[in-house]
Amino acid sequence: MKVVITGEPGVGKTTLVRKLVKALKDRAIGFWTEEVRDRKTKKRKGFKVVTTEGKETLFASKTFTSKHLVGSYGVNVARFESVVLPLLEKALSKRDKILVVDEVGKMELFSKKFRDIMRVAVHEPRDMIVTIPIRDVHPLVKEIRRLPGAVLIELTKGNREDMDKEVLQLFE
């Protein structure tokens, strides 16, 4: 079973993923991205990647100098890859786990190695939960959105409350 979750920015895709990972416990292997906010001003200053194994790193920041930019955020591809690629390589060998990827978005897609491994993972016969942007920002996003047999869910403010229960039922 492959579940592809999409929706507008800020609708709750990552919140849903964290709920799913918590409910799935050791059945889940993967990562999600979280906003990093300034403690004083509460303004967003970057993004970090967090794995199901407890590793995390800041990989996009307003203070990073990078040729890879999304808005005012510089993306450090090497930092992202250092945490995500070993986990994804491990996940590919663990077919009994549900692979969780939040998200295949603009920042993550700067990594060719990530794109390559995701292209393999989405076509494997394995259980997977993946989030993608609402728009096809890259050919891989378009490919994932149209995966044969996948369940595509557009998360909205109107349907997000019990979506974790609905998604979990798909894996029972």
Side-chain angles (χ1 to χ4, degrees):
M1 171 62 56
K2 288 187 177 44
V3 177
V4 179
I5 301 164
T6 190
E8 293 290 342
V11 77
K13 294 183 295 294
T14 298
T15 300
L16 173 59
V17 164
R18 288 199 327 252
K19 283 183 184 177
L20 293 168
V21 166
K22 187 176 179 182
L24 291 166
K25 298 184 178 120
D26 62 352
R27 285 179 61 203
I29 185 169
F31 73 91
W32 60 91
T33 54
E34 293 182 357
E35 292 181 345
V36 177
R37 294 191 173 269
D38 184 281
R39 288 194 176 124
K40 291 180 183 168
T41 65
K42 305 288 186 221
K43 289 188 176 165
R44 189 169 64 196
K45 63 179 186 176
F47 292 89
K48 67 180 176 179
V49 60
V50 181
T51 74
T52 52
E53 298 178 337
K55 292 183 180 168
E56 61 180 65
T57 190
L58 183 70
F59 77 100
S61 174
K62 290 189 176 201
T63 62
F64 288 174
T65 302
S66 174
K67 66 179 182 178
H68 303 294
L69 297 172
V70 175
S72 58
Y73 300 96
V75 179
N76 185 318
V77 175
R79 279 180 161 217
F80 174 76
E81 290 179 343
S82 73
V83 171
V84 169
L85 295 182
L87 180 85
L88 289 176
E89 286 164 9
K90 181 179 176 181
L92 289 181
S93 69
K94 297 192 177 283
R95 301 245 175 149
D96 57 323
K97 304 270 189 185
I98 298 172
L99 178 58
V100 179
V101 177
D102 172 48
E103 78 180 294
V104 181
K106 287 180 184 176
M107 292 181 184
E108 298 81 5
L109 288 164
F110 284 125
S111 166
K112 181 184 184 315
K113 291 176 184 172
F114 173 72
R115 294 191 311 264
D116 291 346
I117 203 165
M118 282 305 300
R119 194 161 272 124
V120 169
V122 299
H123 291 290
E124 283 189 332
R126 66 161 318 126
D127 289 337
M128 184 174 201
I129 299 167
V130 59
T131 68
I132 58 172
I134 193 77
R135 285 162 199 77
D136 290 337
V137 296
H138 187 276
L140 181 58
V141 173
K142 187 175 185 178
E143 189 177 326
I144 292 169
R145 186 181 316 277
R146 290 160 179 76
L147 278 174
V151 175
L152 179 66
I153 296 169
E154 183 175 340
L155 198 65
T156 65
K157 288 182 178 173
N159 71 5
R160 68 184 180 186
E161 282 313 307
D162 291 319
M163 190 55 72
D164 57 325
K165 293 170 191 69
E166 289 185 40
V167 172
L168 289 169
Q169 282 180 341
L170 294 171
F171 289 100
E172 286 177 1

